[in-house]
Amino acid sequence: MLAMNYRGPYRVRTVEKPMPEILHPEDAIIRVTRTCICGSDLHLYHGMVPDTRVGSTFGHEFTGVVEEVGPLVQKLKVGDQVLVPFNIACGKCNFCKQGLFGNCHESNSMATAVGGIFGYSHTAGGFDGGQAEYVRVPYADVGPTVIPAEMDPDDAVLLTDVVPTGYQAAEMGGIKQGDTVVIFGAGPIGIMAARCAWFFGPSRVIIIDHIDYRLEFAKNYAKCEAYNFKDMADPVVFLKKTTDSYGADVCIDCVGCEAEGNTLQTFSGRVALMQAGAATALQWAVNSVKKGGIVSVVGVYGPPFNLVPFGNIVNKGLTIRANQASVKRLLPKLIDHVMSGRLNPKGLITHRIPLEEVSDAYRLFSSKLDNCIKTVLIPSAKH
Amino acid sequence: MEENNEDYKNIPGWGMDADAENEPTYPMKNYTGDDHNRINYERSVQQPEDVEILMSIERPAITRVFGTSVPPSGLSGMIRRYAFQHSEDRYRHWIPLILADRINVFEGLVEDIKAGEFPDMIKERGLAMEWKHNKIGILKKAATIAVVGTVIFTLTRKKK
């Protein structure tokens, strides 16, 4: 089968790989119909995530058709069209039982901080990802969800990560009616967080980025205010001024380890890798939120340490909430939002590219070329 | 700059998920009391361990399923094995892993050449796409590299 193959920072290609096999009785084999490149795949692509081994296949956002199931799989059957959450979760451990599917204790032997994730380095379990024609899906009765018959397949694939992560970013903000919410990062997750923030009743949603076309897209798609931090002397001062010197009620970091905007953070985090990525967005979030406010973080940071202004967190009495999205927990609500027309995930998709052209697709997304917001890869196997 | 109108209330779904109970204490934990059962829960059957898996020393046992995509091998594999002798809390876990990743890139090149295939760097890096949409950017980068290279070359020669 054809699969994406990582060869080192900024180098990927498609290769022939052996077909995945059932390795555990609760596995399924899925024929991939759509798969996305996520902003967090770029951290792997740029060599930022430790234990990303040459030969790996990325991809944690995918939909497909069930081709084969293991002997203990009960809920899925061959031929089902499914969307597959990016988290690999057993459904039985104490964390899964609490709805923390992103923190499963039985899917990642290689680390304890994060659960298993498809195609996201050995730090996230060493599983092959969905940027391939076929993929092995462990715990097939837990994650994969049958796509409602009336749902557009492009909406379905975005429900595997972008929509739930954006939604959870807003949800973790504990947004109350009338709040001002500031979102750092106008990538797909930031845009979706901005759109989903409205579900919680704020009066203002502001998004900050440094690329004009993304800000324009965010303004139209998420109906929010959008500002370029390169036009500001200091984004924190700007945000204080636009919130009556008080600060935003909720700040959301949708950027993570590859943030721009601070030379010290960029050098120490992105160039020298002396911290777990540049924490610029987190720093701005902490310093732009009001005292007693909430900072929600879904931006990806590598392990183990970051230069974070913790003194300000203490002095301002902030609450920090952060996690990988627990996709399975959120799906019923989000499917309802999509099916009722309140949310239009496929509106984020700007590019559809054959899997064979994966290296071009990564470059397009990584370098933010051709006004790219979200790229979907289409494998060609049997469709 | 403050928006005083309330048009935002017409955004489909505005306020419908507002939850007064969502206090910032924990990301929507469904409290079941199961935390206190620790690792005494019903576990799935064990996936057979037929490739080398490096396991975090912070774990009591290997997980019931695991990925088998790229087992450790070569020099990078030796470094990874060293890294996994240390906790995730330590630099001596993560820095060797980053070093191993870089060495692994060269191992990949050797592997390709041994297989009789020299990697197409331009294609793998998607540079045709960059050229199509960002000619000026590429030319600027090339010019910067040329200038820096020339300066370094000149300084090196003078020293001799």
Side-chain angles (χ1 to χ4, degrees):
Chain A
M1 66 151 187
L2 207 61
M4 173 271 187
N5 191 262
Y6 172 73
R7 306 309 300 172
Y10 296 90
R11 283 180 54 219
V12 297
R13 64 186 185 218
T14 45
V15 298
E16 279 295 327
K17 274 192 159 186
M19 281 287 288
E21 294 173 6
I22 301 278
L23 300 177
H24 182 271
E26 293 172 51
D27 285 354
I29 303 297
I30 307 286
R31 172 167 56 83
V32 179
T33 50
R34 278 170 176 72
T35 178
C36 299
I37 302 176
C38 178
S40 53
D41 284 328
L42 298 183
H43 306 322
L44 301 172
Y45 178 69
H46 296 159
M48 297 286 292
V49 180
D51 216 358
T52 302
R53 300 181 192 172
V54 167
S56 303
T57 294
F58 300 169
H60 54 271
E61 298 177 288
F62 57 93
T63 55
V65 179
V66 178
E67 286 281 304
E68 188 183 351
V69 292
L72 294 183
V73 175
Q74 295 176 330
K75 294 180 187 166
L76 287 190
K77 58 182 190 305
V78 172
D80 280 348
Q81 306 233 17
V82 291
L83 62 92
V84 183
F86 72 90
N87 332 100
I88 299 172
C90 73
K92 294 176 178 171
C93 73
N94 298 329
F95 301 111
C96 284
K97 279 194 261 183
Q98 290 162 16
L100 295 169
F101 293 98
N103 305 105
C104 175
H105 204 57
E106 287 293 347
S107 57
N108 182 9
S109 283
M110 291 78 172
T112 54
V114 64
I117 298 174
F118 290 100
Y120 210 76
S121 83
H122 279 67
T123 298
F127 295 91
D128 269 330
Q131 288 167 12
E133 290 182 318
Y134 297 87
V135 62
R136 171 200 170 208
V137 175
Y139 300 132
D141 274 340
V142 181
T145 300
V146 174
I147 300 170
E150 309 78 25
M151 182 176 277
D152 188 311
D154 284 344
D155 283 331
V157 74
L158 296 187
L159 281 168
T160 62
D161 181 347
V162 177
V163 180
T165 299
Y167 186 92
Q168 185 167 312
E171 182 194 52
M172 289 193 300
I175 300 165
K176 299 287 182 289
Q177 290 207 359
D179 276 356
T180 294
V181 180
V182 174
I183 290 151
F184 294 94
I189 299 288
I191 293 169
M192 191 53 71
R195 177 62 189 85
C196 289
W198 292 116
F199 286 124
F200 300 91
S203 62
R204 294 182 75 188
V205 176
I206 298 169
I207 199 162
I208 304 284
D209 198 271
H210 65 110
I211 297 174
D212 285 329
Y213 84 80
R214 301 210 306 184
L215 288 164
E216 194 59 33
F217 189 99
K219 197 159 46 173
N220 293 327
Y221 182 89
K223 315 292 178 208
C224 60
E225 300 167 55
Y227 300 106
N228 190 327
F229 67 74
K230 288 198 167 165
D231 297 338
M232 304 167 186
D234 184 332
V236 174
V237 173
F238 171 84
L239 289 167
K240 286 282 173 62
K241 284 189 175 168
T242 193
T243 52
D244 297 330
S245 81
Y246 200 64
D249 298 284
V250 176
C251 281
I252 302 176
D253 171 2
C254 293
V255 179
C257 64
E258 295 199 73
E260 298 209 7
N262 179 306
T263 308
L264 174 64
Q265 291 275 356
T266 300
F267 178 77
S268 59
R270 294 176 61 187
V271 180
L273 294 177
M274 289 309 294
Q275 57 167 329
T280 309
L282 187 52
Q283 189 163 348
W284 287 349
V286 165
N287 290 329
S288 305
V289 77
K290 71 176 185 184
K291 293 169 190 171
I294 300 169
V295 174
S296 165
V297 186
V298 291
V300 172
Y301 291 89
F305 308 117
N306 271 104
L307 294 170
V308 176
F310 206 83
N312 291 1
I313 294 172
V314 174
N315 289 334
K316 294 175 79 171
L318 303 186
T319 296
I320 308 287
R321 303 175 90 183
N323 208 347
Q324 300 281 351
S326 282
V327 179
K328 188 73 179 178
R329 173 178 65 83
L330 295 167
L331 276 179
K333 181 178 284 184
L334 295 175
I335 287 173
D336 181 52
H337 280 322
V338 173
M339 298 307 287
S340 63
R342 289 186 290 271
L343 200 56
N344 171 30
K346 65 177 179 292
L348 287 181
I349 298 171
T350 51
H351 292 76
R352 288 177 177 75
I353 296 177
L355 178 64
E356 289 84 343
E357 296 168 24
V358 72
S359 47
D360 284 345
Y362 265 88
R363 174 62 69 166
L364 184 86
F365 190 38
S366 164
S367 297
K368 299 168 182 67
L369 305 171
D370 197 28
N371 291 348
C372 180
I373 297 289
K374 188 71 178 171
T375 299
V376 175
L377 297 170
I378 314 286
S380 56
K382 293 189 197 169
H383 49 262
Chain B
M1 204 157 294
E2 182 84 39
E3 290 193 349
N4 291 320
N5 67 57
E6 296 214 339
D7 285 350
Y8 56 83
K9 290 189 176 174
N10 297 323
I11 291 173
W14 181 84
M16 70 179 294
D17 291 346
D19 178 7
E21 299 299 312
N22 180 11
E23 283 301 317
T25 49
Y26 197 92
M28 302 304 286
K29 179 178 178 179
N30 172 25
Y31 187 76
T32 61
D34 282 326
D35 313 47
H36 308 299
N37 287 324
R38 303 293 175 186
I39 57 169
N40 301 315
Y41 47 81
E42 180 202 352
R43 302 174 82 198
S44 295
V45 298
Q46 182 65 54
Q47 177 181 335
E49 196 175 343
D50 47 14
V51 297
E52 182 184 0
I53 299 296
L54 299 176
M55 192 184 84
S56 166
I57 62 166
E58 296 178 27
R59 291 193 54 83
I62 198 163
T63 50
R64 292 308 205 192
V65 304
F66 44 81
T68 56
S69 63
V70 189
S73 64
L75 177 60
S76 65
M78 290 165 65
I79 298 169
R80 293 190 208 284
R81 288 183 196 105
Y82 167 81
F84 274 86
Q85 292 169 16
H86 304 284
S87 140
E88 294 157 63
D89 181 53
R90 310 301 294 267
Y91 268 130
R92 69 187 70 162
H93 178 77
W94 297 110
I95 299 294
L97 286 177
I98 291 172
L99 175 68
D101 287 350
R102 300 298 174 262
I103 290 170
N104 199 195
V105 174
F106 290 99
E107 291 172 337
L109 281 172
V110 172
E111 194 180 285
D112 281 343
I113 292 165
K114 268 187 181 170
E117 182 191 350
F118 198 83
D120 184 344
M121 293 290 182
I122 291 175
K123 188 173 179 194
E124 286 181 356
R125 295 172 74 89
L127 289 175
M129 189 59 78
E130 186 89 36
W131 180 250
K132 184 176 174 188
H133 294 289
N134 186 26
K135 285 190 181 68
I136 293 171
I138 278 200
L139 292 172
K140 272 185 186 170
K141 270 184 203 165
T144 307
I145 290 168
V147 168
V148 171
T150 308
V151 168
I152 291 170
F153 179 72
T154 311
L155 289 175
T156 315
R157 279 193 68 188
K158 273 183 186 171
K159 276 182 186 172
K160 284 177 184 174

